[in-house]
Amino acid sequence: MSIAADRLSDPAVRAFVTALNAQDRGAFQAALAPGATMSDDGTERDLADWTEREVFSSNGRMEVESEADGGRSLTALYSNDTWGAMRTRWAFTVEDGKVSRFETGQA
């Protein structure tokens, strides 16, 4: 059973997931705070490079399975054309209504 992006509890996380799934670069950038950072499996990554490779050029999408911490912690089936599908965890830091950091990795 998945949770539709428009039903996610945290508005900033909802905007992030909705933009990612729509492959909407403008909306995705708008969901991020200036200077936002991220890590993948515990390794710091360049956010622009990572999102281009793992999301936009490879048709990335998230099917959210569950949320916790007021919607700032997700478990999702993440898939893209490069890696296929994998169960992932996502933790978001939100400041002033925008995602300032996210950490993802295999669940």
Side-chain angles (χ1 to χ4, degrees):
M1 184 80 174
S2 63
I3 303 169
D6 64 358
R7 307 281 301 175
L8 294 172
S9 300
D10 187 277
V13 173
R14 184 182 325 128
F16 178 99
V17 174
T18 299
L20 186 152
N21 285 344
Q23 295 287 294
D24 186 330
R25 292 171 195 265
F28 188 83
Q29 286 301 317
L32 298 173
T37 61
M38 59 104 28
S39 69
D40 184 359
D41 281 327
T43 301
E44 290 298 310
R45 303 286 186 191
D46 177 271
L47 183 107
D49 177 63
W50 187 90
T51 54
E52 179 56 37
R53 189 177 65 254
E54 300 293 340
V55 178
F56 297 114
S57 68
S58 61
N59 195 32
R61 53 214 170 271
M62 290 174 75
E63 184 179 326
V64 179
E65 296 175 353
S66 64
E67 63 176 358
D69 300 326
R72 293 188 179 175
S73 181
L74 306 178
T75 300
L77 185 65
Y78 188 81
S79 57
N80 67 26
D81 296 343
T82 304
W83 305 108
M86 68 183 80
R87 199 154 181 265
T88 55
R89 57 176 168 65
W90 298 74
F92 296 89
T93 303
V94 175
E95 295 175 14
D96 299 322
K98 304 228 181 235
V99 172
S100 61
R101 179 170 177 80
F102 66 94
E103 297 173 10
T104 187
Q106 292 194 45

